[in-house]
Amino acid sequence: MCGIVGYIGEKDAYPILINGLKRLEYRGYDSAGVAIIGNETKIFKKKGKVSELEKLVKNKDVSGVIGIGHTRWATHGEPNDVNAHPHTSQNNKFTVIHNGIIENYGRLKRKLEDRGYKFKSQTDTEVLANLIEYIYIKGNGEIDAEHAVRLALSKVIGAYGIVIISKDEPDKLIAARKGSPLVIGIGEGEYYIASDATPIIEHTDSVIYLNNDNVAIIKKDQLTLKTIGNDELKPLIQKLTMDIGSIEKNGYEHFMLKEIFEQPKSILDTFRGRVAADLSEIRLGGLFEVMPKLEKAKRIIIIACGTSWHAGLVAEYLIETLARVPVEVEYGSEFRYRKPIIYEDDVVIAISQSGETADTLAAINIAKEAGATVLGICNVVGASIPRETHAGVYTHAGPEIGVASTKAFTAQVTVLTMIAIILGKNNNTISDDEYTSLIKELTDVPKKVEEILKSDPIIKKISELYKDATNFLYLGRGYLFPVALEGALKLKEISYIHAEGYPAAEMKHGPIALIDENMPVVVIATQDNSYEKIVSNIQEVKARNGKVIAIVTEGDTVIKSMADHVIEVPKSHEAIAPLLTVVPLQLLSYHIAVMRDCNVDQPRNLAKSVTVE
Ligand code: F6R
């Protein structure tokens, strides 16, 4: 969602802020703004991308060694210059940037209006700025800025990551977190603050992650950490493990393409160190303590959103087939509001790339309150989900900057495949031979993905033929049904072409009515248990003149003779096929989106991490 960056030290703040905003632009790009403390607080804000803000600021005085910056993903109020952050209170005493949603902002706003406050924007953030100021002024010099912030936050319902400048105390930044992440970078005589580590990593690798209800008072050479209730806390300093190369494009035209091509490595990194060198065993250290609970679980509930939910659906097939444990896959947003039935011997697995998705986090809390064991599968080290869960496994995909998730998905499926294989072995539902052969199959995935990536020119040519289609249908069966859903999601989110994923057999129950010569149908049809059935489904599409793009096992001549186009993937065990077959679909959506001139890395209306519900 919105991105936050701040700096306090002795360097010029503006270049640090603008560079940080560019790094954060993947989080939100409706508008951007900065506030810099010089002789006075200078504020610049502009609708559109960070480059628009840069144009506005060109040749203006931006000198100052303390400042804050923000990229916005609109929640309250349309994207425009006025609603862009930072927001200043009526008497200019406080300037605020904010990520999250103040749920009771309407009530607070009315109270402030009754006391004479007038509002320039439609945002909840301006309400917060004015609330802080109102409390501060009412304190008549008895309370300082930090105290006013803490008192204001105690009246706020909702989620926030905020950074505040006070006019009367211009030597500090005040930051607070509830629900929306904030990380502080520690330099020499300087501090950085951001909503994630990407703007910080080029300056320092020493960081402090704020916890919920933390308030940080940051001077250039001093950091004080407190609770909102004013109890002092000892900061926990941690080392960042990401490197700067991982957040740059490294010669690729887009982050998405780079991340698709990184998959041989990101999948390898995800199982490296977890599979014994002689392939005799898989170990997931993060689950060691909870393994007896997993083995005894009568049911596993998987909670996630979007692409991560599709990874969860793959896991339903994996775990039920290999380990014979019933699995339910839930959207976080539905689970949290529908009074779910949760037993103490349920194991809940939350899957999230960012580790900050608001609905997934809320669902985790419900499951914890009901006494279930909750595990997390997350890509961002130190994010909220790994901290809120009882145990878990990190996917080691590296930072994912493209808004459309690609390498995070295959890393999630890699972890889930490992969990299913371990559980199958421990539950005696797979034989020793199957166990060893599945491990071997998994470790072969990186080189098979390398092979698939060589088909990029073929996929590009196919994309050229279908880039103007208005609808796409994606079909798959069994393990490949979630891949069909994922292929359809990738296409619609970055190319704005309407696409639907279906279990192939369901086509006859409705979608077949859509098929004519203008309908491209992507069929994931590798050779597995349902191969014969999917061949029939392809015939049904062809009989109605649909155009078939089939993802097939290499050497398949049957489908080749029927389909309009085939993209081959190496042969594999059917449980491994999702990891391979999704890759051509990622490339197909990428090329179509580029050919349609869409902003692939920053699709309209989307944000990388959805920290509001
Ligand atoms: C799609 C996509 C989203 C995310 C979803 C969940 O490409 O990226 O659908 O998968 O917003 O995000 P995380 O995994 O961060 O919880």
PDB file of all heavy atoms in Angstrom, residues 305-308 352-354 357 403-405 489-490 493 610, ligand 1:
ATOM      1  N   CYS A 305      -4.472 -14.780   0.576  1.00  0.00           N
ATOM      2  CA  CYS A 305      -5.208 -13.946  -0.375  1.00  0.00           C
ATOM      3  C   CYS A 305      -4.491 -14.005  -1.728  1.00  0.00           C
ATOM      4  O   CYS A 305      -3.277 -14.204  -1.782  1.00  0.00           O
ATOM      5  CB  CYS A 305      -5.224 -12.480   0.069  1.00  0.00           C
ATOM      6  SG  CYS A 305      -5.952 -12.216   1.682  1.00  0.00           S
ATOM      7  N   GLY A 306      -5.240 -13.797  -2.790  1.00  0.00           N
ATOM      8  CA  GLY A 306      -4.668 -13.627  -4.131  1.00  0.00           C
ATOM      9  C   GLY A 306      -3.823 -14.806  -4.581  1.00  0.00           C
ATOM     10  O   GLY A 306      -4.205 -15.975  -4.449  1.00  0.00           O
ATOM     11  N   THR A 307      -2.654 -14.463  -5.104  1.00  0.00           N
ATOM     12  CA  THR A 307      -1.747 -15.499  -5.594  1.00  0.00           C
ATOM     13  C   THR A 307      -1.360 -16.471  -4.483  1.00  0.00           C
ATOM     14  O   THR A 307      -1.220 -17.675  -4.713  1.00  0.00           O
ATOM     15  CB  THR A 307      -0.507 -14.812  -6.206  1.00  0.00           C
ATOM     16  OG1 THR A 307      -0.901 -14.252  -7.452  1.00  0.00           O
ATOM     17  CG2 THR A 307       0.638 -15.772  -6.435  1.00  0.00           C
ATOM     18  N   SER A 308      -1.177 -15.968  -3.279  1.00  0.00           N
ATOM     19  CA  SER A 308      -0.818 -16.848  -2.165  1.00  0.00           C
ATOM     20  C   SER A 308      -1.941 -17.853  -1.898  1.00  0.00           C
ATOM     21  O   SER A 308      -1.696 -18.988  -1.490  1.00  0.00           O
ATOM     22  CB  SER A 308      -0.543 -16.028  -0.902  1.00  0.00           C
ATOM     23  OG  SER A 308       0.531 -15.149  -1.143  1.00  0.00           O
ATOM     24  N   SER A 352       1.798 -15.857   2.830  1.00  0.00           N
ATOM     25  CA  SER A 352       1.831 -14.458   2.397  1.00  0.00           C
ATOM     26  C   SER A 352       3.232 -14.074   1.943  1.00  0.00           C
ATOM     27  O   SER A 352       4.200 -14.327   2.649  1.00  0.00           O
ATOM     28  CB  SER A 352       1.405 -13.554   3.557  1.00  0.00           C
ATOM     29  OG  SER A 352       1.571 -12.209   3.225  1.00  0.00           O
ATOM     30  N   GLN A 353       3.324 -13.499   0.769  1.00  0.00           N
ATOM     31  CA  GLN A 353       4.614 -12.984   0.307  1.00  0.00           C
ATOM     32  C   GLN A 353       5.086 -11.879   1.233  1.00  0.00           C
ATOM     33  O   GLN A 353       6.163 -11.932   1.788  1.00  0.00           O
ATOM     34  CB  GLN A 353       4.479 -12.471  -1.135  1.00  0.00           C
ATOM     35  CG  GLN A 353       5.765 -12.042  -1.823  1.00  0.00           C
ATOM     36  CD  GLN A 353       6.384 -10.750  -1.347  1.00  0.00           C
ATOM     37  OE1 GLN A 353       7.588 -10.715  -1.030  1.00  0.00           O
ATOM     38  NE2 GLN A 353       5.620  -9.684  -1.250  1.00  0.00           N
ATOM     39  N   SER A 354       4.231 -10.858   1.382  1.00  0.00           N
ATOM     40  CA  SER A 354       4.639  -9.657   2.128  1.00  0.00           C
ATOM     41  C   SER A 354       4.668  -9.884   3.629  1.00  0.00           C
ATOM     42  O   SER A 354       5.421  -9.230   4.352  1.00  0.00           O
ATOM     43  CB  SER A 354       3.661  -8.525   1.842  1.00  0.00           C
ATOM     44  OG  SER A 354       2.362  -8.888   2.300  1.00  0.00           O
ATOM     45  N   THR A 357      -0.364  -8.690   4.822  1.00  0.00           N
ATOM     46  CA  THR A 357      -1.724  -8.595   4.289  1.00  0.00           C
ATOM     47  C   THR A 357      -2.735  -8.548   5.440  1.00  0.00           C
ATOM     48  O   THR A 357      -2.809  -9.472   6.258  1.00  0.00           O
ATOM     49  CB  THR A 357      -1.983  -9.778   3.339  1.00  0.00           C
ATOM     50  OG1 THR A 357      -1.005  -9.700   2.306  1.00  0.00           O
ATOM     51  CG2 THR A 357      -3.361  -9.742   2.737  1.00  0.00           C
ATOM     52  N   VAL A 403       4.604  -5.889  -8.901  1.00  0.00           N
ATOM     53  CA  VAL A 403       3.367  -6.048  -8.127  1.00  0.00           C
ATOM     54  C   VAL A 403       2.752  -7.433  -8.364  1.00  0.00           C
ATOM     55  O   VAL A 403       2.224  -8.054  -7.450  1.00  0.00           O
ATOM     56  CB  VAL A 403       2.386  -4.899  -8.462  1.00  0.00           C
ATOM     57  CG1 VAL A 403       0.987  -5.218  -7.981  1.00  0.00           C
ATOM     58  CG2 VAL A 403       2.882  -3.617  -7.801  1.00  0.00           C
ATOM     59  N   ALA A 404       2.866  -7.930  -9.587  1.00  0.00           N
ATOM     60  CA  ALA A 404       2.343  -9.275  -9.864  1.00  0.00           C
ATOM     61  C   ALA A 404       3.305 -10.305  -9.291  1.00  0.00           C
ATOM     62  O   ALA A 404       4.484 -10.336  -9.630  1.00  0.00           O
ATOM     63  CB  ALA A 404       2.186  -9.461 -11.363  1.00  0.00           C
ATOM     64  N   SER A 405       2.781 -11.150  -8.456  1.00  0.00           N
ATOM     65  CA  SER A 405       3.643 -12.111  -7.763  1.00  0.00           C
ATOM     66  C   SER A 405       4.016 -13.257  -8.700  1.00  0.00           C
ATOM     67  O   SER A 405       3.160 -13.844  -9.354  1.00  0.00           O
ATOM     68  CB  SER A 405       2.869 -12.646  -6.556  1.00  0.00           C
ATOM     69  OG  SER A 405       3.721 -13.404  -5.759  1.00  0.00           O
ATOM     70  N   LEU A 489      -5.279 -14.865 -13.233  1.00  0.00           N
ATOM     71  CA  LEU A 489      -5.048 -13.684 -12.384  1.00  0.00           C
ATOM     72  C   LEU A 489      -3.881 -12.857 -12.923  1.00  0.00           C
ATOM     73  O   LEU A 489      -3.959 -11.623 -13.007  1.00  0.00           O
ATOM     74  CB  LEU A 489      -4.779 -14.114 -10.932  1.00  0.00           C
ATOM     75  CG  LEU A 489      -4.447 -12.979  -9.964  1.00  0.00           C
ATOM     76  CD1 LEU A 489      -5.605 -11.997  -9.830  1.00  0.00           C
ATOM     77  CD2 LEU A 489      -4.080 -13.519  -8.587  1.00  0.00           C
ATOM     78  N   LYS A 490      -2.795 -13.546 -13.315  1.00  0.00           N
ATOM     79  CA  LYS A 490      -1.628 -12.805 -13.827  1.00  0.00           C
ATOM     80  C   LYS A 490      -2.027 -11.970 -15.034  1.00  0.00           C
ATOM     81  O   LYS A 490      -1.637 -10.810 -15.147  1.00  0.00           O
ATOM     82  CB  LYS A 490      -0.501 -13.759 -14.249  1.00  0.00           C
ATOM     83  CG  LYS A 490       0.331 -14.400 -13.178  1.00  0.00           C
ATOM     84  CD  LYS A 490       1.228 -13.482 -12.397  1.00  0.00           C
ATOM     85  CE  LYS A 490       0.507 -12.874 -11.250  1.00  0.00           C
ATOM     86  NZ  LYS A 490       0.458 -13.577  -9.987  1.00  0.00           N
ATOM     87  N   GLU A 493      -4.467  -8.944 -14.077  1.00  0.00           N
ATOM     88  CA  GLU A 493      -3.939  -7.853 -13.246  1.00  0.00           C
ATOM     89  C   GLU A 493      -2.929  -6.982 -13.972  1.00  0.00           C
ATOM     90  O   GLU A 493      -2.809  -5.808 -13.674  1.00  0.00           O
ATOM     91  CB  GLU A 493      -3.366  -8.377 -11.913  1.00  0.00           C
ATOM     92  CG  GLU A 493      -2.112  -9.187 -12.027  1.00  0.00           C
ATOM     93  CD  GLU A 493      -1.619  -9.670 -10.679  1.00  0.00           C
ATOM     94  OE1 GLU A 493      -1.764  -8.949  -9.693  1.00  0.00           O
ATOM     95  OE2 GLU A 493      -1.063 -10.770 -10.625  1.00  0.00           O
ATOM     96  N   VAL A 610      -1.072  -5.436   0.705  1.00  0.00           N
ATOM     97  CA  VAL A 610      -2.399  -4.886   0.972  1.00  0.00           C
ATOM     98  C   VAL A 610      -2.609  -4.824   2.482  1.00  0.00           C
ATOM     99  O   VAL A 610      -3.125  -5.747   3.098  1.00  0.00           O
ATOM    100  CB  VAL A 610      -3.483  -5.716   0.251  1.00  0.00           C
ATOM    101  CG1 VAL A 610      -4.861  -5.110   0.453  1.00  0.00           C
ATOM    102  CG2 VAL A 610      -3.178  -5.785  -1.248  1.00  0.00           C
TER     103      VAL A 610
HETATM  104  C1  F6R B   1      -1.132 -11.110  -7.431  1.00  0.00           C
HETATM  105  C2  F6R B   1      -0.698 -10.667  -6.130  1.00  0.00           C
HETATM  106  C3  F6R B   1      -1.711 -10.566  -5.050  1.00  0.00           C
HETATM  107  C4  F6R B   1      -1.115 -11.072  -3.735  1.00  0.00           C
HETATM  108  C5  F6R B   1      -2.092 -10.856  -2.580  1.00  0.00           C
HETATM  109  C6  F6R B   1      -1.571 -11.437  -1.282  1.00  0.00           C
HETATM  110  O1  F6R B   1      -0.065 -11.184  -8.321  1.00  0.00           O
HETATM  111  O2  F6R B   1       0.445 -10.370  -5.929  1.00  0.00           O
HETATM  112  O3  F6R B   1      -2.866 -11.259  -5.365  1.00  0.00           O
HETATM  113  O4  F6R B   1      -0.811 -12.430  -3.875  1.00  0.00           O
HETATM  114  O5  F6R B   1      -2.320  -9.488  -2.424  1.00  0.00           O
HETATM  115  O6  F6R B   1      -0.393 -10.839  -0.920  1.00  0.00           O
HETATM  116  P1  F6R B   1       0.590 -11.502   0.119  1.00  0.00           P
HETATM  117  O7  F6R B   1       1.100 -12.763  -0.490  1.00  0.00           O
HETATM  118  O8  F6R B   1       1.678 -10.492   0.315  1.00  0.00           O
HETATM  119  O9  F6R B   1      -0.197 -11.782   1.353  1.00  0.00           O
END
